[in-house]
Amino acid sequence: QVQLVESGGGLVQPGGSLRLSCAASGSIFRVYNMHWYRQAPGKQRELVATITTGGSTNYTDSVKGRFTISRDNAKNTLYLQMNSLKPEDTAVYYCNAHFTLGMIGVPEYDYWGQGTPVTVSS
């Protein structure tokens, strides 16, 4: 299994930057596709960014050009660099690890961290 611990959240002003980290332990990090999600009060949890085992990335439209997801497999760590932050980015951010073989009938594995809060306010 994989244990995930997020860090780096906090209070920043609009236009500021923040770098979130997700430290993984307990399994082989490099075999998991990794994701950042966020959840604001009263809203559905939203997929923010994805990075695959091969390094391909994808972002939700609202953060494109501002956020960058990356991974360091040697350090078993996932990152989310957030620039030009806006008040609407305020949420609890969660990292997620997902393992799949892409075969019908074969179980998949999904792990979540506890989240780190990000508040963007002046």
Side-chain angles (χ1 to χ4, degrees), residues 33-69:
N33 294 321
M34 301 296 297
H35 314 268
W36 284 102
Y37 287 79
R38 67 186 180 187
Q39 188 166 27
K43 293 187 177 181
Q44 187 84 32
R45 187 171 295 187
E46 174 190 24
L47 176 61
V48 177
T50 293
I51 185 166
T52 69
T53 57
S56 298
T57 60
N58 199 14
Y59 303 89
T60 191
D61 287 342
S62 63
V63 308
K64 286 181 178 178
R66 301 189 297 119
F67 290 11
T68 302
I69 187 172

PDB file of all heavy atoms in Angstrom, residues 33-69:
ATOM      1  N   ASN A  33       0.171   6.346 -11.270  1.00  0.00           N
ATOM      2  CA  ASN A  33      -0.244   7.634 -11.792  1.00  0.00           C
ATOM      3  C   ASN A  33      -0.628   8.509 -10.600  1.00  0.00           C
ATOM      4  O   ASN A  33      -1.262   8.048  -9.649  1.00  0.00           O
ATOM      5  CB  ASN A  33      -1.433   7.495 -12.730  1.00  0.00           C
ATOM      6  CG  ASN A  33      -1.081   6.736 -13.989  1.00  0.00           C
ATOM      7  OD1 ASN A  33      -0.001   6.902 -14.547  1.00  0.00           O
ATOM      8  ND2 ASN A  33      -2.004   5.906 -14.456  1.00  0.00           N
ATOM      9  N   MET A  34      -0.248   9.776 -10.659  1.00  0.00           N
ATOM     10  CA  MET A  34      -0.453  10.672  -9.530  1.00  0.00           C
ATOM     11  C   MET A  34      -1.339  11.841  -9.929  1.00  0.00           C
ATOM     12  O   MET A  34      -1.292  12.321 -11.070  1.00  0.00           O
ATOM     13  CB  MET A  34       0.885  11.195  -9.003  1.00  0.00           C
ATOM     14  CG  MET A  34       1.842  10.109  -8.533  1.00  0.00           C
ATOM     15  SD  MET A  34       1.214   9.180  -7.099  1.00  0.00           S
ATOM     16  CE  MET A  34       1.120  10.477  -5.864  1.00  0.00           C
ATOM     17  N   HIS A  35      -2.118  12.312  -8.961  1.00  0.00           N
ATOM     18  CA  HIS A  35      -3.079  13.377  -9.208  1.00  0.00           C
ATOM     19  C   HIS A  35      -3.116  14.340  -8.031  1.00  0.00           C
ATOM     20  O   HIS A  35      -2.877  13.952  -6.888  1.00  0.00           O
ATOM     21  CB  HIS A  35      -4.487  12.802  -9.397  1.00  0.00           C
ATOM     22  CG  HIS A  35      -4.555  11.618 -10.315  1.00  0.00           C
ATOM     23  ND1 HIS A  35      -4.791  11.738 -11.664  1.00  0.00           N
ATOM     24  CD2 HIS A  35      -4.419  10.298 -10.066  1.00  0.00           C
ATOM     25  CE1 HIS A  35      -4.805  10.532 -12.214  1.00  0.00           C
ATOM     26  NE2 HIS A  35      -4.580   9.645 -11.262  1.00  0.00           N
ATOM     27  N   TRP A  36      -3.436  15.586  -8.332  1.00  0.00           N
ATOM     28  CA  TRP A  36      -3.824  16.551  -7.325  1.00  0.00           C
ATOM     29  C   TRP A  36      -5.304  16.865  -7.494  1.00  0.00           C
ATOM     30  O   TRP A  36      -5.755  17.169  -8.604  1.00  0.00           O
ATOM     31  CB  TRP A  36      -3.025  17.849  -7.433  1.00  0.00           C
ATOM     32  CG  TRP A  36      -1.628  17.764  -6.921  1.00  0.00           C
ATOM     33  CD1 TRP A  36      -0.491  17.641  -7.644  1.00  0.00           C
ATOM     34  CD2 TRP A  36      -1.230  17.820  -5.538  1.00  0.00           C
ATOM     35  NE1 TRP A  36       0.603  17.618  -6.823  1.00  0.00           N
ATOM     36  CE2 TRP A  36       0.185  17.717  -5.523  1.00  0.00           C
ATOM     37  CE3 TRP A  36      -1.914  17.940  -4.329  1.00  0.00           C
ATOM     38  CZ2 TRP A  36       0.926  17.738  -4.341  1.00  0.00           C
ATOM     39  CZ3 TRP A  36      -1.186  17.951  -3.153  1.00  0.00           C
ATOM     40  CH2 TRP A  36       0.217  17.851  -3.169  1.00  0.00           C
ATOM     41  N   TYR A  37      -6.034  16.773  -6.395  1.00  0.00           N
ATOM     42  CA  TYR A  37      -7.425  17.179  -6.331  1.00  0.00           C
ATOM     43  C   TYR A  37      -7.551  18.336  -5.351  1.00  0.00           C
ATOM     44  O   TYR A  37      -6.675  18.563  -4.519  1.00  0.00           O
ATOM     45  CB  TYR A  37      -8.313  16.036  -5.842  1.00  0.00           C
ATOM     46  CG  TYR A  37      -8.551  14.919  -6.829  1.00  0.00           C
ATOM     47  CD1 TYR A  37      -7.597  13.932  -7.045  1.00  0.00           C
ATOM     48  CD2 TYR A  37      -9.759  14.820  -7.524  1.00  0.00           C
ATOM     49  CE1 TYR A  37      -7.815  12.895  -7.925  1.00  0.00           C
ATOM     50  CE2 TYR A  37      -9.993  13.778  -8.404  1.00  0.00           C
ATOM     51  CZ  TYR A  37      -9.019  12.819  -8.604  1.00  0.00           C
ATOM     52  OH  TYR A  37      -9.256  11.784  -9.476  1.00  0.00           O
ATOM     53  N   ARG A  38      -8.653  19.036  -5.435  1.00  0.00           N
ATOM     54  CA  ARG A  38      -8.952  20.046  -4.440  1.00  0.00           C
ATOM     55  C   ARG A  38     -10.446  20.066  -4.167  1.00  0.00           C
ATOM     56  O   ARG A  38     -11.257  19.696  -5.009  1.00  0.00           O
ATOM     57  CB  ARG A  38      -8.473  21.435  -4.870  1.00  0.00           C
ATOM     58  CG  ARG A  38      -9.200  22.024  -6.070  1.00  0.00           C
ATOM     59  CD  ARG A  38      -8.549  23.334  -6.495  1.00  0.00           C
ATOM     60  NE  ARG A  38      -9.222  23.927  -7.643  1.00  0.00           N
ATOM     61  CZ  ARG A  38      -8.781  24.988  -8.299  1.00  0.00           C
ATOM     62  NH1 ARG A  38      -7.644  25.585  -7.908  1.00  0.00           N
ATOM     63  NH2 ARG A  38      -9.456  25.470  -9.332  1.00  0.00           N
ATOM     64  N   GLN A  39     -10.799  20.524  -2.972  1.00  0.00           N
ATOM     65  CA  GLN A  39     -12.186  20.611  -2.586  1.00  0.00           C
ATOM     66  C   GLN A  39     -12.400  21.880  -1.775  1.00  0.00           C
ATOM     67  O   GLN A  39     -11.815  22.054  -0.708  1.00  0.00           O
ATOM     68  CB  GLN A  39     -12.619  19.388  -1.783  1.00  0.00           C
ATOM     69  CG  GLN A  39     -14.111  19.339  -1.513  1.00  0.00           C
ATOM     70  CD  GLN A  39     -14.571  17.980  -1.033  1.00  0.00           C
ATOM     71  OE1 GLN A  39     -13.799  17.229  -0.444  1.00  0.00           O
ATOM     72  NE2 GLN A  39     -15.822  17.658  -1.295  1.00  0.00           N
ATOM     73  N   ALA A  40     -13.230  22.750  -2.302  1.00  0.00           N
ATOM     74  CA  ALA A  40     -13.622  23.963  -1.612  1.00  0.00           C
ATOM     75  C   ALA A  40     -14.898  23.697  -0.825  1.00  0.00           C
ATOM     76  O   ALA A  40     -15.669  22.787  -1.163  1.00  0.00           O
ATOM     77  CB  ALA A  40     -13.834  25.100  -2.609  1.00  0.00           C
ATOM     78  N   PRO A  41     -15.154  24.477   0.225  1.00  0.00           N
ATOM     79  CA  PRO A  41     -16.369  24.277   1.016  1.00  0.00           C
ATOM     80  C   PRO A  41     -17.624  24.319   0.160  1.00  0.00           C
ATOM     81  O   PRO A  41     -17.813  25.238  -0.643  1.00  0.00           O
ATOM     82  CB  PRO A  41     -16.341  25.441   2.008  1.00  0.00           C
ATOM     83  CG  PRO A  41     -14.897  25.772   2.147  1.00  0.00           C
ATOM     84  CD  PRO A  41     -14.311  25.547   0.778  1.00  0.00           C
ATOM     85  N   GLY A  42     -18.471  23.311   0.323  1.00  0.00           N
ATOM     86  CA  GLY A  42     -19.725  23.257  -0.401  1.00  0.00           C
ATOM     87  C   GLY A  42     -19.624  22.831  -1.846  1.00  0.00           C
ATOM     88  O   GLY A  42     -20.627  22.869  -2.565  1.00  0.00           O
ATOM     89  N   LYS A  43     -18.440  22.421  -2.281  1.00  0.00           N
ATOM     90  CA  LYS A  43     -18.255  22.042  -3.666  1.00  0.00           C
ATOM     91  C   LYS A  43     -17.743  20.614  -3.787  1.00  0.00           C
ATOM     92  O   LYS A  43     -17.199  20.047  -2.841  1.00  0.00           O
ATOM     93  CB  LYS A  43     -17.284  22.995  -4.367  1.00  0.00           C
ATOM     94  CG  LYS A  43     -17.799  24.415  -4.519  1.00  0.00           C
ATOM     95  CD  LYS A  43     -16.862  25.246  -5.369  1.00  0.00           C
ATOM     96  CE  LYS A  43     -17.411  26.638  -5.592  1.00  0.00           C
ATOM     97  NZ  LYS A  43     -16.500  27.450  -6.447  1.00  0.00           N
ATOM     98  N   GLN A  44     -17.938  20.062  -4.962  1.00  0.00           N
ATOM     99  CA  GLN A  44     -17.457  18.726  -5.275  1.00  0.00           C
ATOM    100  C   GLN A  44     -15.927  18.715  -5.352  1.00  0.00           C
ATOM    101  O   GLN A  44     -15.305  19.698  -5.765  1.00  0.00           O
ATOM    102  CB  GLN A  44     -18.056  18.264  -6.602  1.00  0.00           C
ATOM    103  CG  GLN A  44     -17.770  16.819  -6.975  1.00  0.00           C
ATOM    104  CD  GLN A  44     -18.725  15.857  -6.331  1.00  0.00           C
ATOM    105  OE1 GLN A  44     -19.886  16.187  -6.103  1.00  0.00           O
ATOM    106  NE2 GLN A  44     -18.247  14.656  -6.041  1.00  0.00           N
ATOM    107  N   ARG A  45     -15.346  17.611  -4.960  1.00  0.00           N
ATOM    108  CA  ARG A  45     -13.913  17.463  -5.127  1.00  0.00           C
ATOM    109  C   ARG A  45     -13.567  17.480  -6.617  1.00  0.00           C
ATOM    110  O   ARG A  45     -14.194  16.786  -7.422  1.00  0.00           O
ATOM    111  CB  ARG A  45     -13.418  16.174  -4.474  1.00  0.00           C
ATOM    112  CG  ARG A  45     -11.910  16.034  -4.471  1.00  0.00           C
ATOM    113  CD  ARG A  45     -11.445  14.862  -3.622  1.00  0.00           C
ATOM    114  NE  ARG A  45     -11.761  15.051  -2.207  1.00  0.00           N
ATOM    115  CZ  ARG A  45     -11.349  14.250  -1.237  1.00  0.00           C
ATOM    116  NH1 ARG A  45     -10.591  13.199  -1.528  1.00  0.00           N
ATOM    117  NH2 ARG A  45     -11.701  14.493   0.013  1.00  0.00           N
ATOM    118  N   GLU A  46     -12.560  18.254  -6.964  1.00  0.00           N
ATOM    119  CA  GLU A  46     -12.224  18.532  -8.349  1.00  0.00           C
ATOM    120  C   GLU A  46     -10.824  18.027  -8.672  1.00  0.00           C
ATOM    121  O   GLU A  46      -9.875  18.260  -7.915  1.00  0.00           O
ATOM    122  CB  GLU A  46     -12.304  20.045  -8.602  1.00  0.00           C
ATOM    123  CG  GLU A  46     -11.836  20.497  -9.971  1.00  0.00           C
ATOM    124  CD  GLU A  46     -11.708  22.008 -10.073  1.00  0.00           C
ATOM    125  OE1 GLU A  46     -11.535  22.663  -9.029  1.00  0.00           O
ATOM    126  OE2 GLU A  46     -11.786  22.532 -11.201  1.00  0.00           O
ATOM    127  N   LEU A  47     -10.691  17.371  -9.806  1.00  0.00           N
ATOM    128  CA  LEU A  47      -9.377  16.980 -10.291  1.00  0.00           C
ATOM    129  C   LEU A  47      -8.670  18.202 -10.853  1.00  0.00           C
ATOM    130  O   LEU A  47      -9.170  18.852 -11.769  1.00  0.00           O
ATOM    131  CB  LEU A  47      -9.499  15.898 -11.357  1.00  0.00           C
ATOM    132  CG  LEU A  47      -8.205  15.456 -12.041  1.00  0.00           C
ATOM    133  CD1 LEU A  47      -7.224  14.859 -11.032  1.00  0.00           C
ATOM    134  CD2 LEU A  47      -8.502  14.456 -13.151  1.00  0.00           C
ATOM    135  N   VAL A  48      -7.495  18.500 -10.327  1.00  0.00           N
ATOM    136  CA  VAL A  48      -6.739  19.673 -10.724  1.00  0.00           C
ATOM    137  C   VAL A  48      -5.667  19.337 -11.742  1.00  0.00           C
ATOM    138  O   VAL A  48      -5.522  20.025 -12.757  1.00  0.00           O
ATOM    139  CB  VAL A  48      -6.099  20.353  -9.494  1.00  0.00           C
ATOM    140  CG1 VAL A  48      -5.237  21.540  -9.917  1.00  0.00           C
ATOM    141  CG2 VAL A  48      -7.177  20.791  -8.512  1.00  0.00           C
ATOM    142  N   ALA A  49      -4.894  18.292 -11.475  1.00  0.00           N
ATOM    143  CA  ALA A  49      -3.764  17.971 -12.332  1.00  0.00           C
ATOM    144  C   ALA A  49      -3.428  16.497 -12.222  1.00  0.00           C
ATOM    145  O   ALA A  49      -3.653  15.864 -11.188  1.00  0.00           O
ATOM    146  CB  ALA A  49      -2.539  18.812 -11.969  1.00  0.00           C
ATOM    147  N   THR A  50      -2.869  15.964 -13.293  1.00  0.00           N
ATOM    148  CA  THR A  50      -2.486  14.569 -13.379  1.00  0.00           C
ATOM    149  C   THR A  50      -1.086  14.456 -13.951  1.00  0.00           C
ATOM    150  O   THR A  50      -0.710  15.219 -14.848  1.00  0.00           O
ATOM    151  CB  THR A  50      -3.460  13.796 -14.289  1.00  0.00           C
ATOM    152  OG1 THR A  50      -4.751  13.750 -13.681  1.00  0.00           O
ATOM    153  CG2 THR A  50      -2.979  12.369 -14.535  1.00  0.00           C
ATOM    154  N   ILE A  51      -0.330  13.516 -13.433  1.00  0.00           N
ATOM    155  CA  ILE A  51       0.935  13.147 -14.062  1.00  0.00           C
ATOM    156  C   ILE A  51       1.024  11.629 -14.060  1.00  0.00           C
ATOM    157  O   ILE A  51       0.832  10.981 -13.035  1.00  0.00           O
ATOM    158  CB  ILE A  51       2.149  13.804 -13.374  1.00  0.00           C
ATOM    159  CG1 ILE A  51       3.428  13.483 -14.152  1.00  0.00           C
ATOM    160  CG2 ILE A  51       2.264  13.400 -11.912  1.00  0.00           C
ATOM    161  CD1 ILE A  51       4.607  14.364 -13.748  1.00  0.00           C
ATOM    162  N   THR A  52       1.289  11.065 -15.220  1.00  0.00           N
ATOM    163  CA  THR A  52       1.333   9.617 -15.363  1.00  0.00           C
ATOM    164  C   THR A  52       2.697   9.073 -14.988  1.00  0.00           C
ATOM    165  O   THR A  52       3.650   9.815 -14.717  1.00  0.00           O
ATOM    166  CB  THR A  52       1.001   9.209 -16.804  1.00  0.00           C
ATOM    167  OG1 THR A  52       2.070   9.625 -17.667  1.00  0.00           O
ATOM    168  CG2 THR A  52      -0.306   9.837 -17.270  1.00  0.00           C
ATOM    169  N   THR A  53       2.792   7.756 -14.987  1.00  0.00           N
ATOM    170  CA  THR A  53       4.077   7.123 -14.716  1.00  0.00           C
ATOM    171  C   THR A  53       5.124   7.511 -15.751  1.00  0.00           C
ATOM    172  O   THR A  53       6.320   7.521 -15.446  1.00  0.00           O
ATOM    173  CB  THR A  53       3.937   5.596 -14.694  1.00  0.00           C
ATOM    174  OG1 THR A  53       3.383   5.138 -15.928  1.00  0.00           O
ATOM    175  CG2 THR A  53       3.022   5.154 -13.547  1.00  0.00           C
ATOM    176  N   GLY A  54       4.684   7.823 -16.962  1.00  0.00           N
ATOM    177  CA  GLY A  54       5.585   8.229 -18.017  1.00  0.00           C
ATOM    178  C   GLY A  54       5.880   9.711 -18.067  1.00  0.00           C
ATOM    179  O   GLY A  54       6.656  10.153 -18.922  1.00  0.00           O
ATOM    180  N   GLY A  55       5.250  10.492 -17.184  1.00  0.00           N
ATOM    181  CA  GLY A  55       5.522  11.912 -17.122  1.00  0.00           C
ATOM    182  C   GLY A  55       4.570  12.791 -17.901  1.00  0.00           C
ATOM    183  O   GLY A  55       4.749  14.017 -17.924  1.00  0.00           O
ATOM    184  N   SER A  56       3.562  12.217 -18.538  1.00  0.00           N
ATOM    185  CA  SER A  56       2.573  13.031 -19.231  1.00  0.00           C
ATOM    186  C   SER A  56       1.705  13.765 -18.225  1.00  0.00           C
ATOM    187  O   SER A  56       1.348  13.213 -17.183  1.00  0.00           O
ATOM    188  CB  SER A  56       1.705  12.167 -20.137  1.00  0.00           C
ATOM    189  OG  SER A  56       2.483  11.546 -21.142  1.00  0.00           O
ATOM    190  N   THR A  57       1.339  15.001 -18.532  1.00  0.00           N
ATOM    191  CA  THR A  57       0.568  15.824 -17.614  1.00  0.00           C
ATOM    192  C   THR A  57      -0.725  16.300 -18.239  1.00  0.00           C
ATOM    193  O   THR A  57      -0.864  16.394 -19.461  1.00  0.00           O
ATOM    194  CB  THR A  57       1.373  17.043 -17.147  1.00  0.00           C
ATOM    195  OG1 THR A  57       1.733  17.840 -18.285  1.00  0.00           O
ATOM    196  CG2 THR A  57       2.634  16.608 -16.421  1.00  0.00           C
ATOM    197  N   ASN A  58      -1.672  16.630 -17.369  1.00  0.00           N
ATOM    198  CA  ASN A  58      -2.937  17.191 -17.790  1.00  0.00           C
ATOM    199  C   ASN A  58      -3.458  18.069 -16.666  1.00  0.00           C
ATOM    200  O   ASN A  58      -3.205  17.801 -15.487  1.00  0.00           O
ATOM    201  CB  ASN A  58      -3.943  16.095 -18.130  1.00  0.00           C
ATOM    202  CG  ASN A  58      -5.088  16.591 -18.977  1.00  0.00           C
ATOM    203  OD1 ASN A  58      -5.051  17.674 -19.537  1.00  0.00           O
ATOM    204  ND2 ASN A  58      -6.133  15.773 -19.084  1.00  0.00           N
ATOM    205  N   TYR A  59      -4.196  19.124 -17.028  1.00  0.00           N
ATOM    206  CA  TYR A  59      -4.686  20.096 -16.065  1.00  0.00           C
ATOM    207  C   TYR A  59      -6.119  20.468 -16.362  1.00  0.00           C
ATOM    208  O   TYR A  59      -6.549  20.481 -17.521  1.00  0.00           O
ATOM    209  CB  TYR A  59      -3.846  21.379 -16.105  1.00  0.00           C
ATOM    210  CG  TYR A  59      -2.380  21.177 -15.853  1.00  0.00           C
ATOM    211  CD1 TYR A  59      -1.506  20.911 -16.895  1.00  0.00           C
ATOM    212  CD2 TYR A  59      -1.867  21.256 -14.563  1.00  0.00           C
ATOM    213  CE1 TYR A  59      -0.158  20.725 -16.664  1.00  0.00           C
ATOM    214  CE2 TYR A  59      -0.519  21.078 -14.324  1.00  0.00           C
ATOM    215  CZ  TYR A  59       0.327  20.811 -15.381  1.00  0.00           C
ATOM    216  OH  TYR A  59       1.673  20.630 -15.142  1.00  0.00           O
ATOM    217  N   THR A  60      -6.832  20.805 -15.316  1.00  0.00           N
ATOM    218  CA  THR A  60      -8.144  21.387 -15.525  1.00  0.00           C
ATOM    219  C   THR A  60      -7.965  22.791 -16.099  1.00  0.00           C
ATOM    220  O   THR A  60      -6.968  23.462 -15.843  1.00  0.00           O
ATOM    221  CB  THR A  60      -8.939  21.416 -14.205  1.00  0.00           C
ATOM    222  OG1 THR A  60     -10.299  21.756 -14.471  1.00  0.00           O
ATOM    223  CG2 THR A  60      -8.356  22.406 -13.223  1.00  0.00           C
ATOM    224  N   ASP A  61      -8.935  23.224 -16.890  1.00  0.00           N
ATOM    225  CA  ASP A  61      -8.783  24.467 -17.638  1.00  0.00           C
ATOM    226  C   ASP A  61      -8.501  25.674 -16.749  1.00  0.00           C
ATOM    227  O   ASP A  61      -7.752  26.571 -17.131  1.00  0.00           O
ATOM    228  CB  ASP A  61     -10.036  24.734 -18.472  1.00  0.00           C
ATOM    229  CG  ASP A  61     -10.149  23.821 -19.674  1.00  0.00           C
ATOM    230  OD1 ASP A  61      -9.133  23.215 -20.065  1.00  0.00           O
ATOM    231  OD2 ASP A  61     -11.261  23.715 -20.231  1.00  0.00           O
ATOM    232  N   SER A  62      -9.076  25.712 -15.577  1.00  0.00           N
ATOM    233  CA  SER A  62      -8.966  26.884 -14.729  1.00  0.00           C
ATOM    234  C   SER A  62      -7.557  27.126 -14.189  1.00  0.00           C
ATOM    235  O   SER A  62      -7.258  28.225 -13.721  1.00  0.00           O
ATOM    236  CB  SER A  62      -9.953  26.796 -13.558  1.00  0.00           C
ATOM    237  OG  SER A  62      -9.655  25.688 -12.721  1.00  0.00           O
ATOM    238  N   VAL A  63      -6.688  26.122 -14.245  1.00  0.00           N
ATOM    239  CA  VAL A  63      -5.334  26.282 -13.712  1.00  0.00           C
ATOM    240  C   VAL A  63      -4.260  26.202 -14.786  1.00  0.00           C
ATOM    241  O   VAL A  63      -3.074  26.382 -14.469  1.00  0.00           O
ATOM    242  CB  VAL A  63      -5.034  25.256 -12.602  1.00  0.00           C
ATOM    243  CG1 VAL A  63      -6.119  25.272 -11.536  1.00  0.00           C
ATOM    244  CG2 VAL A  63      -4.861  23.854 -13.176  1.00  0.00           C
ATOM    245  N   LYS A  64      -4.638  25.959 -16.018  1.00  0.00           N
ATOM    246  CA  LYS A  64      -3.656  25.855 -17.088  1.00  0.00           C
ATOM    247  C   LYS A  64      -2.865  27.151 -17.224  1.00  0.00           C
ATOM    248  O   LYS A  64      -3.421  28.243 -17.218  1.00  0.00           O
ATOM    249  CB  LYS A  64      -4.341  25.524 -18.411  1.00  0.00           C
ATOM    250  CG  LYS A  64      -4.824  24.094 -18.505  1.00  0.00           C
ATOM    251  CD  LYS A  64      -5.469  23.808 -19.855  1.00  0.00           C
ATOM    252  CE  LYS A  64      -5.915  22.361 -19.952  1.00  0.00           C
ATOM    253  NZ  LYS A  64      -6.595  22.068 -21.241  1.00  0.00           N
ATOM    254  N   GLY A  65      -1.566  27.008 -17.335  1.00  0.00           N
ATOM    255  CA  GLY A  65      -0.688  28.157 -17.434  1.00  0.00           C
ATOM    256  C   GLY A  65      -0.253  28.717 -16.105  1.00  0.00           C
ATOM    257  O   GLY A  65       0.668  29.546 -16.055  1.00  0.00           O
ATOM    258  N   ARG A  66      -0.891  28.294 -15.020  1.00  0.00           N
ATOM    259  CA  ARG A  66      -0.558  28.788 -13.690  1.00  0.00           C
ATOM    260  C   ARG A  66       0.029  27.708 -12.791  1.00  0.00           C
ATOM    261  O   ARG A  66       0.899  27.990 -11.969  1.00  0.00           O
ATOM    262  CB  ARG A  66      -1.792  29.386 -13.011  1.00  0.00           C
ATOM    263  CG  ARG A  66      -2.412  30.547 -13.773  1.00  0.00           C
ATOM    264  CD  ARG A  66      -3.501  31.230 -12.950  1.00  0.00           C
ATOM    265  NE  ARG A  66      -4.615  30.326 -12.666  1.00  0.00           N
ATOM    266  CZ  ARG A  66      -5.004  29.969 -11.443  1.00  0.00           C
ATOM    267  NH1 ARG A  66      -4.368  30.450 -10.375  1.00  0.00           N
ATOM    268  NH2 ARG A  66      -6.036  29.156 -11.273  1.00  0.00           N
ATOM    269  N   PHE A  67      -0.466  26.475 -12.928  1.00  0.00           N
ATOM    270  CA  PHE A  67      -0.025  25.368 -12.080  1.00  0.00           C
ATOM    271  C   PHE A  67       0.843  24.410 -12.878  1.00  0.00           C
ATOM    272  O   PHE A  67       0.637  24.209 -14.080  1.00  0.00           O
ATOM    273  CB  PHE A  67      -1.222  24.586 -11.535  1.00  0.00           C
ATOM    274  CG  PHE A  67      -2.049  25.308 -10.508  1.00  0.00           C
ATOM    275  CD1 PHE A  67      -1.883  26.655 -10.251  1.00  0.00           C
ATOM    276  CD2 PHE A  67      -3.007  24.608  -9.788  1.00  0.00           C
ATOM    277  CE1 PHE A  67      -2.650  27.313  -9.310  1.00  0.00           C
ATOM    278  CE2 PHE A  67      -3.780  25.251  -8.840  1.00  0.00           C
ATOM    279  CZ  PHE A  67      -3.606  26.597  -8.598  1.00  0.00           C
ATOM    280  N   THR A  68       1.794  23.795 -12.192  1.00  0.00           N
ATOM    281  CA  THR A  68       2.643  22.780 -12.801  1.00  0.00           C
ATOM    282  C   THR A  68       2.758  21.586 -11.872  1.00  0.00           C
ATOM    283  O   THR A  68       3.174  21.735 -10.716  1.00  0.00           O
ATOM    284  CB  THR A  68       4.044  23.321 -13.109  1.00  0.00           C
ATOM    285  OG1 THR A  68       3.953  24.456 -13.976  1.00  0.00           O
ATOM    286  CG2 THR A  68       4.889  22.246 -13.793  1.00  0.00           C
ATOM    287  N   ILE A  69       2.390  20.422 -12.366  1.00  0.00           N
ATOM    288  CA  ILE A  69       2.546  19.194 -11.602  1.00  0.00           C
ATOM    289  C   ILE A  69       3.840  18.512 -12.027  1.00  0.00           C
ATOM    290  O   ILE A  69       4.203  18.511 -13.205  1.00  0.00           O
ATOM    291  CB  ILE A  69       1.329  18.256 -11.791  1.00  0.00           C
ATOM    292  CG1 ILE A  69       1.409  17.044 -10.849  1.00  0.00           C
ATOM    293  CG2 ILE A  69       1.188  17.820 -13.243  1.00  0.00           C
ATOM    294  CD1 ILE A  69       0.148  16.191 -10.849  1.00  0.00           C
TER     295      ILE A  69
END
